[in-house]
Amino acid sequence: GNPFGTTVTFAVSCSNAATLFNAGAGQPALSPSGMLTFTAKQYQFGDASCTATATNNGSPALSSSAVPFTISLTYVNNAPSYTKGADQS
């Protein structure tokens, strides 16, 4: 537990976020435990340059320096699909 009774929140900011990741909860985020989550948009690939900062709710509130990191989405070669239509005459 936290002996000081403060909580830490994280803020994440990424370039290309609107292009690479789903809106809302799909955007890159860090949980209070520090787990990174995101949902990539279908068929998107590339790099997102990101920064994360931590802030506590103490008095006074303290914030960390921005920490840079990169999320790399790699291209996936999906097999083609086909749905048979009605027979033509």
Side-chain angles (χ1 to χ4, degrees):
N2 181 342
F4 302 106
T6 61
T7 57
V8 176
T9 57
F10 296 98
V12 176
S13 176
C14 298
S15 66
N16 299 334
T19 302
L20 296 176
F21 307 107
N22 287 340
Q27 292 291 300
L30 284 166
S31 72
S33 66
M35 178 179 283
L36 176 66
T37 59
F38 60 87
T39 304
K41 285 185 177 179
Q42 189 173 19
Y43 307 121
Q44 294 299 313
F45 60 94
D47 291 339
S49 297
C50 304
T51 58
T53 56
T55 303
N56 74 6
N57 67 343
S59 180
L62 302 173
S63 294
S64 71
S65 298
V67 177
F69 63 98
T70 301
I71 299 173
S72 295
L73 304 179
T74 57
Y75 176 77
V76 175
N77 188 8
N78 294 309
S81 63
Y82 171 76
T83 302
K84 183 183 177 309
D87 290 340
Q88 300 294 309
S89 55

